[in-house]
Amino acid sequence: MKGLRAIVSTDEAGHGGRQAGNTAGNAQEATPGLIQLITPGGERVSHPEFDVWVNDVTDDQLAALYEDMSVIRRIDVEATALQRQGELALWPPLLGQEAAQIGSGRSLRQEDFVFSSYRENGVAYCRGVDLTDLVRVWRGNASSGWDPYAINMATPQIIIGAQTLHAAGYAMGIQFDGADAASVAYFGDGATSEGDVNEAMVFAASFQIPMVFFCTNNHWAISEPVRLQSHIHLADRADGFGIPSLRVDGNDVLAVMAVTRLALDRARRGGGPTFIEAVSYRMGPHTTADDPTRYRDANELEDWAAKDPISRVAALLDRKGLLTSALQEQVQQKSDAVAREMRHGCTTMPEPQAMAVFDNVYTAPNSALERQADHYSRYLAMFDEPAAAAATEGARR
């Protein structure tokens, strides 16, 4: 397809050295090798092949994208604070990856189905997730955050890359049904080295299913840099499977929206799968249990801070005369309201009952599960003195 893998050069991940646009000093310039519609300095650059996919985005919608990114950053900050305060056991920050998640998430239709890793909280926000459900698992109060069919998004997958196989299977179902929909699998750069991702690409290419592989290259697989696991662009790996691919500036919300819309349209038209590599950066730790200062150069963080996804949209809005105090106040109020709602839902969440561990294990009751539940209830009764006494008395009779 025209445009797929047509715009490639070296990148900032160590595959050929640094280039214009990858340092704070060149932050106003476009980045070669990546599809980009907004420069880090907020300049709207023309790209006829991809402009057509976002020409319908109005100034009001651009402001809405700015709000979305600001809100999910506020969610991230609040959730990190909740973890530091002991209210959450763990949290996987998305700081710096807001454009990749909002640009793609706002491109989806309701009938599309999302399969994500544990970091796509921004995509979940776009799908309409209840904010309390967003933190339910991380608080340790449930084994699953939400009903996948309520928002057409599977609950986050902790096993690295496994969601790509789930997405491939779902896309095969879409194909069999002849439905006008697509499945989207989100994963990170580290997952591309997992067998599951490669097997999913084999299935996707073989059956030409309506699926989008959305890889967020945030440059670090926990403490290992992306250049260690791949000496070529991650998007180039898809070529070996016969899957067209695109490399996009993952900190450019409009460019991400453009390539995602293109890939989804291709899937719905029967054109098969597409691989998107959204080049971004993980500004924070891998999770709140991680300390990135032990393995990451502070200068690298400073370079990427100059390409912040929210700042560049703010700069574009300012160029257009749209970054008014009223808009900024509106965004701040919305962000604070969402944070308050999530915090309240987290701290007032009822503790799960012990026997709830048997709920939703199977779609229908069965004797094996009932036997386990019976044994577990007897075990729990040992810690309840009246119940234990009654059980002992019953045994004597």
Side-chain angles (χ1 to χ4, degrees), residues 191-270:
T192 61
S193 294
E194 293 285 343
D196 285 0
V197 175
N198 292 271
E199 291 161 13
M201 286 198 282
V202 169
F203 273 92
S206 297
F207 296 99
Q208 289 294 288
I209 55 179
M211 177 177 172
V212 177
F213 291 84
F214 194 100
C215 174
T216 303
N217 176 1
N218 67 19
H219 286 78
W220 290 95
I222 307 183
S223 59
E224 300 294 352
V226 68
R227 63 179 176 271
L228 182 65
Q229 64 174 321
S230 181
H231 294 274
I232 62 172
H233 299 310
L234 297 179
D236 289 337
R237 289 184 168 186
D239 294 349
F241 295 90
I243 298 176
S245 60
L246 293 150
R247 288 188 78 242
V248 64
D249 183 342
N251 285 9
D252 177 349
V253 70
L254 276 187
V256 171
M257 178 172 281
V259 299
T260 306
R261 285 178 167 185
L262 184 157
L264 289 168
D265 180 72
R266 182 172 180 271
R268 294 188 181 103
R269 290 173 178 268

